[in-house]
Amino acid sequence: MKQNILITNDDGINAKGLRALIEVASEFGKVTIVAPEMGMSGMSHAITMTNPLFLRRIKIADSVEVYACQGTPVDCVKIAVDSIMEEAPTLILSGINHGSNSNVSVLYSGTMGAATEGATYNVPSIGFSLTSHLANADFTAARYYVKEILEKVLQHNCNKSLCLNVNIPSIPSEEIKGIKLCRQANGFWQEEFDKKLDPRGREYYWLVGKFINTEPEAADTDEWALRNGYVSIVPVQVDMTDYKTLKKAETWF
């Protein structure tokens, strides 16, 4: 069955990764693209509430609807589903992000914010990321694995609330060992604020830091998979309820 696919990202309408995702997704059905006018990395699940949203229609082909939105990735999903698409999407794709969204980065990611928003509409949604921040990164391997993953998801008629966080190592295709289903690695971002002066002598702070993996030897995590040459897939969910504590806390009150 031909799919009605919505595509967005957080790197902006001109990102190379977005074009790569459009190319692959177009093989599976009709695509509509609503992506941020500019980069929106780190926006997580943010929405625009105090400013109007402006859309700019871009014509690239008669059969493809493309819009640049001045909002966040989640804004893009909302306005696409609620106001632009004549028929509801059957699949929502986000990416391909320039840079990894493994581990706790899933909490900050605009790419995954859009994917989890898709899941709230009960539409199977997938966020794709490549572990390279380069604007001109090589998406050859990413294209191959995006296609393989889409084929498997559609073949198995997955749950409508399906949401996958897919990360692809930025290495040559022949060096990738395959796909691993994983859990999110435990750890934290060790952050620093680099203090500098602007040309007018005003102080400003630039966020820098690195991820600290607190279980580097655990072979069932996304970090291990990526470090060892595998594409990682972590199923995620919108329901953030801690069910273990919920059960335990029943005896507290």
Side-chain angles (χ1 to χ4, degrees):
M1 183 183 78
K2 286 288 186 181
Q3 301 295 312
N4 189 26
I5 304 170
L6 169 62
I7 298 178
T8 189
N9 74 346
D10 76 355
D11 289 317
I13 195 71
N14 295 314
K16 184 178 179 181
L18 178 66
R19 295 196 297 273
L21 184 55
I22 293 169
E23 290 172 14
V24 177
S26 296
E27 300 180 30
F28 293 86
K30 178 184 177 183
V31 297
T32 300
I33 300 96
V34 183
E37 186 78 62
M38 60 189 69
M40 288 281 174
S41 296
M43 293 302 290
S44 186
H45 218 96
I47 58 174
T48 301
M49 299 182 67
T50 57
N51 294 303
L53 290 178
F54 293 93
L55 287 174
R56 178 170 63 93
R57 190 174 188 278
I58 304 168
K59 185 174 178 63
I60 61 171
D62 290 338
S63 59
V64 180
E65 294 279 343
V66 183
Y67 296 87
C69 174
Q70 289 189 339
T72 69
V74 172
D75 287 331
C76 291
V77 173
K78 286 182 173 295
I79 200 167
V81 176
D82 296 333
S83 299
I84 294 175
M85 301 180 74
E86 293 182 1
E87 296 182 6
T90 57
L91 188 64
I92 295 177
L93 308 178
S94 183
I96 302 169
N97 191 64
H98 292 246
S100 173
N101 278 313
S102 59
N103 61 67
V104 296
S105 295
V106 68
L107 297 175
Y108 309 108
S109 166
T111 300
M112 286 308 299
T116 53
E117 178 65 20
T120 70
Y121 283 90
N122 281 321
V123 178
S125 303
I126 309 173
F128 292 100
S129 303
L130 179 73
T131 61
S132 170
H133 288 279
L134 297 176
N136 199 35
D138 183 358
F139 284 88
T140 303
R143 286 186 181 89
Y144 175 85
Y145 283 99
V146 167
K147 182 175 182 179
E148 180 174 342
I149 290 166
L150 291 182
E151 286 174 344
K152 295 295 185 184
V153 166
L154 295 174
Q155 175 187 342
H156 290 282
N157 193 24
C158 293
N159 190 317
K160 289 184 177 181
S161 62
L162 175 80
C163 187
L164 301 180
N165 182 14
V166 177
N167 285 274
I168 302 158
S170 183
I171 57 179
S173 301
E174 61 272 16
E175 294 182 17
I176 296 181
K177 299 173 184 176
I179 296 172
K180 275 196 176 295
L181 276 167
C182 312
R183 64 177 175 85
Q184 175 185 311
N186 288 320
F188 61 93
W189 279 93
Q190 189 175 71
E191 295 164 337
E192 298 175 1
F193 286 88
D194 195 1
K195 182 178 177 181
K196 296 184 178 181
L197 295 177
D198 73 4
R200 296 184 178 181
R202 296 175 300 183
E203 293 180 351
Y204 70 92
Y205 295 83
W206 197 275
L207 177 63
V208 295
K210 61 181 179 180
F211 177 71
I212 304 298
N213 187 353
T214 57
E215 47 177 0
E217 302 308 317
D220 60 343
T221 72
D222 50 6
E223 285 292 314
W224 186 95
L226 293 167
R227 192 171 68 248
N228 286 275
Y230 291 93
V231 174
S232 70
I233 301 181
V234 177
V236 300
Q237 62 184 17
V238 176
D239 184 353
M240 297 179 70
T241 306
D242 180 347
Y243 286 98
K244 288 183 179 179
T245 299
L246 179 64
K247 188 69 176 175
K248 186 186 297 185
E250 288 177 353
T251 64
W252 300 354
F253 301 101

